[in-house]
């Protein structure tokens, strides 16, 4: 599997720091690795990956069960020198998984290489998965028929009520929930904010928030094992 992470480390309008939400990698990685899958990590620009400070608080590391991986030097070193998305070869992978953190809102939709890669994964029968804000990475993906990938698809992603509860509504560049809807996606959420929630529409698998990362991994693995 190919895991995509952000290179963006700050918001454009405010002074807050952002980056990868660590648990969205670790939860997915742990489940997939336990099932025998191997993974590579890539980013739009390659190199070292910034971590969202909020994801590294003791509360989050404990609540999300990410603390053990955070102390695993071998694992954390994987985020020090990531491959460029443009260097990834689709034939090496069965699935692509986009991780979140608010940073993805800035660089995922701006990466032509990522858009092309996602479209190729989908059109060659591979699994495309996102979690939380990384649904933003689907916004500019167009298939060979000229239609947006997400048009008419059932999807989820970080909701606007969750953005407001996280005190980021004034900092983010756009509303992921509304942008997905504008492109004709059939967007839905969990009954309660921050509850785990995953939507599957064929080979497109999307998770709503950080606590959905493991469930996304479960859905991806289930599809790949069934093939």
């Amino acid at each position: 599997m190919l895991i995509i992470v952000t290179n963006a480390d700050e918001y454009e309008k405010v002074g807050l720091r952002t980056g990868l939400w660590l648990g969205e990698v670790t939860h997915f990685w742990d489940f997939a690795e336990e099932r025998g899958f191997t993974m590579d990590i890539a980013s739009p620009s390659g190199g070292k990956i910034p971590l969202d400070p909020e994801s590294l608080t003791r509360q989050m590391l404990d609540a999300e069960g990410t603390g053990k991986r955070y102390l695993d030097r071998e694992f954390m070193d994987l985020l020090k020198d990531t491959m460029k998305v443009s260097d990834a070869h689709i034939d090496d992978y069965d699935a692509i998984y986009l991780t979140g953190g608010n940073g993805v809102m800035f660089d995922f939709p701006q990466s032509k290489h990522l858009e092309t890669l996602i479209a190729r994964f989908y059109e060659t029968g591979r699994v495309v998965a996102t979690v939380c804000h990384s649904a933003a990475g689907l916004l500019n993906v167009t298939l060979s028929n000229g239609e947006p990938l997400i048009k008419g698809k059932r999807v989820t992603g970080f909701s606007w009520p969750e953005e407001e509860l996280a005190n980021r509504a004034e900092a983010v560049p756009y509303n992921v929930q509304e942008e997905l809807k504008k492109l004709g996606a059939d967007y839905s959420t969990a009954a309660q904010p921050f509850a785990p929630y995953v939507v599957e529409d064929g080979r497109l698998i999307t998770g709503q928030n950080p606590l959905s990362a493991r469930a996304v991994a479960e859905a991806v693995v289930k599809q790949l094992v069934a093939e």
Side-chain angles (χ1 to χ4, degrees):
M1 302 185 198
L2 181 63
I3 297 177
I4 310 297
V5 296
T6 184
N7 295 111
D9 63 357
E10 63 182 356
Y11 295 84
E12 294 177 350
K13 296 189 294 185
V14 299
L16 297 171
R17 297 294 173 178
T18 185
L20 164 68
W21 194 272
L22 185 60
E24 294 176 20
V25 170
T26 62
H27 287 184
F28 187 96
W29 187 285
D30 288 347
F31 184 86
E33 186 177 63
E34 289 169 2
R35 272 71 185 172
F37 288 88
T38 57
M39 290 156 282
D40 291 330
I41 301 177
S43 59
S45 301
K48 188 174 182 179
I49 301 306
L51 301 177
D52 190 309
E54 295 290 331
S55 75
L56 303 179
T57 64
R58 176 51 57 190
Q59 179 185 3
M60 287 298 176
L61 290 175
D62 289 345
E64 296 187 352
T66 309
K68 184 176 180 181
R69 281 295 191 185
Y70 184 55
L71 297 175
D72 181 345
R73 178 176 292 273
E74 184 177 356
F75 176 81
M76 293 303 294
D77 281 349
L78 297 174
L79 299 174
K80 288 185 175 181
D81 187 21
T82 59
M83 170 175 56
K84 287 184 179 181
V85 166
S86 58
D87 292 333
H89 299 289
I90 188 172
D91 292 338
D92 295 336
Y93 307 102
D94 299 307
I96 187 170
Y97 167 61
L98 279 62
T99 63
N102 291 83
V104 304
M105 299 179 74
F106 299 97
D107 62 349
F108 278 15
Q110 303 300 322
S111 174
K112 297 296 183 183
H113 289 295
L114 181 56
E115 294 166 21
T116 300
L117 194 65
I118 293 170
R120 289 188 62 206
F121 263 84
Y122 190 79
E123 293 192 311
T124 55
R126 292 167 168 81
V127 174
V128 173
T130 70
V131 72
C132 200
H133 289 90
S134 71
L138 302 175
L139 294 176
N140 294 329
V141 178
T142 302
L143 301 179
S144 57
N145 63 4
E147 296 284 353
L149 167 61
I150 60 175
K151 183 178 180 180
K153 302 290 197 311
R154 298 187 306 277
V155 303
T156 190
F158 205 62
S159 70
W160 191 247
E162 288 172 320
E163 206 77 82
E164 293 178 320
L165 289 169
N167 296 316
R168 292 295 184 269
E170 299 300 321
V172 295
Y174 50 86
N175 180 332
V176 172
Q177 176 177 333
E178 286 304 312
E179 293 302 315
L180 292 169
K181 289 181 177 180
K182 286 179 184 177
L183 289 169
D186 179 6
Y187 176 90
S188 62
T189 66
Q192 296 294 326
F194 299 107
Y197 184 69
V198 173
V199 173
E200 294 184 59
D201 192 324
R203 289 173 285 104
L204 180 63
I205 300 170
T206 51
Q208 182 177 331
N209 47 43
L211 292 178
S212 305
R214 181 182 175 88
V216 170
E218 292 172 354
V220 172
V221 167
K222 183 178 179 180
Q223 283 208 25
L224 295 181
V225 170
E227 291 180 353

